[in-house]
Amino acid sequence: MNKRMYELSSHASVIRELFEYGKKRKEVIGNDNVFDFSIGNPSNPCPNIVTNSLINLLEKTDPINLHGYTSSPGDYEVRKSIAEFLNRKYGCHEVPEKIYLTAGAAAALTISLKAILNKGEEVIVFAPFFPEYAVFTENAGGTLKIVKCLEGSFNIDFDNLEKAICQKTRAVIINYPNNPTGKILDRDSLVKLCAILSKKEKDYQHEIYLISDEPYRELVYDDTFVPFITNYYDNSIVCYSFSKSLSLPGERIGYILISNNANNGDILYKSVCGAGRSLGFICAPTLFQYLIPSCLGYTSDLSVYKVNRDLLYESLSNIGYEIVYPDGAFYLFMKALEKDANAFSDRAKKYELLLVPSDSFGYKGYVRISYCVDSDMIKRALPKFKKLFDEYYI
Ligand code: PLP
């Protein structure tokens, strides 16, 4: 067998490991006694429109079509509905011919990277970052180059970004609202980022793609503005997912959108189709493709996440923890109370608190708290957080 593939399965992701540990622990001490903040599995049910539309599809659509293959990039009418929705919402000019339906954002990223990378080319990511970027980039033959965000603010370190870009740079991945910090990239920062990339494209005489990984696009609180990248940068690729917005992570549905302004966009789209073919990611799940048109613009009830964010942010800050203020997604990035985040995460287990150490996000000294959980669990967990804090400071 392939040694690297074996390694990938035997070194499971830290998030998954902690999640599995939590499941076993619950069997021993009971569900209510484990405070599992490990995984980003939406805790809200999908909105009613999802269930109603699925029933409608099952009752009214010819089953041969409903469960059959669509064309490889996805059903044309579905892609058209997505393009029209985006154009209405963001005032852009996207077309179905540049949309490729995928099994979630993971497949969208894997395909996009495979489509653009040649062996040894580099992909820049901003740490902390979603750990799977490393796996997807490696699989596409590329090399990951990490630019750390500024300590404290977690804004992009533009000076270091400029230094990191070189002849081999083929793409930069951004992810806002961000996993794990919950931060959003404001318009000025995006404009600055795009200006740097455009200049470097001229310097190096080739495209540098901006890949925007957007499973959390709608998970934004307090009406914070989230810029839509194709309006800011021509050579942009959006990797979108319905996993979190509609609480459908197990159904595996999302899409790739290539900006209609991308240079040689037709060739890029053909490469995406070729990459989809080579990876076996053709024809995303048909039933869920057909669900999309009726659900565009809907989300599950996000107010619960806002309640959880406010409760956790305020309570943990009051205890004395240092936290990055999250505008979106459903994660808090909290400074560990000792240098080694793994040791801190282990210590938290003593109180049955499952917090993901930040090392695998490419950033040391923090833990990620996933708050897509029951608010009641958060309330019950707060005294445990206090006891954990007191261990260090009393
Ligand atoms: N990108 C980020 C930042 C994520 O947090 C996740 C999932 O948690 C994914 C991509 C993968 O999403 P999907 O379930 O749509 O494949």
Side-chain angles (χ1 to χ4, degrees):
M1 57 218 105
N2 179 289
K3 190 163 160 259
R4 183 63 190 131
M5 294 303 121
Y6 178 77
E7 274 169 14
L8 280 176
S9 90
S10 29
H11 302 292
S13 92
V14 180
I15 301 169
R16 289 262 154 202
E17 240 171 42
L18 212 53
F19 178 61
E20 294 302 327
Y21 168 87
K23 281 209 289 200
K24 288 205 183 100
R25 204 63 198 130
K26 281 175 190 170
E27 278 168 23
V28 179
I29 61 169
N31 279 348
D32 285 354
N33 298 317
V34 180
F35 307 101
D36 184 356
F37 295 99
S38 66
I39 207 161
N41 221 350
S43 53
N44 274 340
C46 59
N48 287 340
I49 186 140
V50 167
T51 313
N52 294 339
S53 306
L54 284 174
I55 292 171
N56 201 34
L57 281 167
L58 287 165
E59 284 178 350
K60 306 230 169 90
T61 317
D62 171 10
I64 299 291
N65 280 340
L66 192 60
H67 303 296
Y69 291 120
T70 61
S71 64
S72 300
D75 179 78
Y76 185 80
E77 290 303 316
V78 174
R79 291 186 280 138
K80 190 162 161 243
S81 72
I82 294 172
E84 286 170 357
F85 170 77
L86 294 174
N87 295 342
R88 265 196 318 275
K89 183 157 186 200
Y90 299 109
C92 45
H93 305 282
E94 309 309 339
V95 293
E97 288 77 10
K98 302 272 171 56
I99 292 176
Y100 189 100
L101 300 182
T102 61
L109 288 160
T110 315
I111 294 172
S112 301
L113 290 166
K114 187 85 175 167
I116 59 177
L117 290 176
N118 293 291
K119 202 168 166 47
E121 288 178 338
E122 292 180 356
V123 176
I124 291 180
V125 294
F126 300 108
F129 60 89
F130 180 56
E132 297 307 283
Y133 296 158
V135 180
F136 300 159
T137 301
E138 178 193 331
N139 190 48
T143 306
L144 205 68
K145 199 178 232 182
I146 299 170
V147 175
K148 268 184 80 175
C149 284
L150 296 167
E151 178 75 33
S153 71
F154 287 90
N155 290 329
I156 293 176
D157 183 337
F158 288 108
D159 292 337
N160 275 337
L161 170 65
E162 289 205 50
K163 285 181 205 146
I165 298 174
C166 67
Q167 181 66 37
K168 287 191 198 159
T169 308
R170 181 55 71 183
V172 173
I173 302 180
I174 55 172
N175 161 230
Y176 297 101
N178 183 260
N179 172 9
T181 64
K183 277 193 73 88
I184 290 170
L185 192 66
D186 60 56
R187 191 196 320 245
D188 289 350
S189 304
L190 179 60
V191 168
K192 192 165 176 183
L193 171 64
C194 297
I196 291 172
L197 297 186
S198 298
K199 181 180 174 303
K200 296 286 182 182
E201 282 192 325
K202 284 200 189 92
D203 290 351
Y204 294 116
Q205 291 288 300
H206 65 69
E207 288 83 11
I208 299 177
Y209 294 102
L210 181 58
I211 300 178
S212 183
D213 176 25
E214 304 191 351
Y216 304 98
R217 188 195 292 154
E218 289 84 6
L219 276 70
V220 175
Y221 315 109
D222 314 323
D223 295 328
T224 313
F225 174 74
V226 185
F228 191 66
I229 59 156
T230 68
N231 286 334
Y232 294 82
Y233 190 72
D234 288 349
N235 289 320
S236 56
I237 301 173
V238 174
C239 294
Y240 182 80
S241 166
F242 295 92
S243 293
K244 319 282 174 168
S245 59
L246 290 177
S247 299
L248 294 174
E251 305 300 354
R252 316 306 300 133
I253 191 75
Y255 60 81
I256 297 168
L257 164 75
I258 293 171
S259 164
N260 201 22
N261 295 324
N263 298 343
N264 301 315
D266 294 339
I267 297 176
L268 177 56
Y269 188 72
K270 284 203 160 194
S271 299
V272 161
C273 294
R277 180 182 172 195
S278 94
L279 294 162
F281 284 149
I282 53 151
C283 177
T286 304
L287 175 60
F288 284 85
Q289 288 191 37
Y290 288 147
L291 175 74
I292 292 174
S294 56
C295 294
L296 288 164
Y298 288 86
T299 64
S300 51
D301 179 8
L302 304 181
S303 65
V304 181
Y305 300 140
K306 179 171 156 53
V307 167
N308 287 356
R309 179 204 59 175
D310 292 345
L311 177 63
L312 263 175
Y313 181 79
E314 262 183 61
S315 311
L316 294 180
S317 302
N318 284 341
I319 291 172
Y321 287 104
E322 225 178 282
I323 305 162
V324 185
Y325 186 78
D327 291 300
F330 38 47
Y331 307 105
L332 285 183
F333 206 49
M334 184 174 90
K335 197 157 190 174
L337 298 179
E338 57 187 294
K339 254 187 156 178
D340 181 350
N342 289 294
F344 178 66
S345 169
D346 279 345
R347 184 96 74 106
K349 278 187 190 156
K350 209 167 107 185
Y351 300 98
E352 309 299 344
L353 292 168
L354 306 187
L355 316 176
V356 180
S358 62
D359 296 50
S360 62
F361 295 94
Y363 209 97
K364 288 188 190 303
Y366 284 74
V367 287
R368 188 192 76 172
I369 300 175
S370 176
Y371 60 80
C372 45
V373 296
D374 215 29
S375 306
D376 185 56
M377 185 191 97
I378 296 179
K379 286 180 198 146
R380 286 185 292 107
L382 290 174
K384 311 283 178 187
F385 276 107
K386 172 81 173 95
K387 279 191 181 154
L388 176 63
F389 187 87
D390 290 347
E391 258 205 41
Y392 287 85
Y393 290 106
I394 287 186

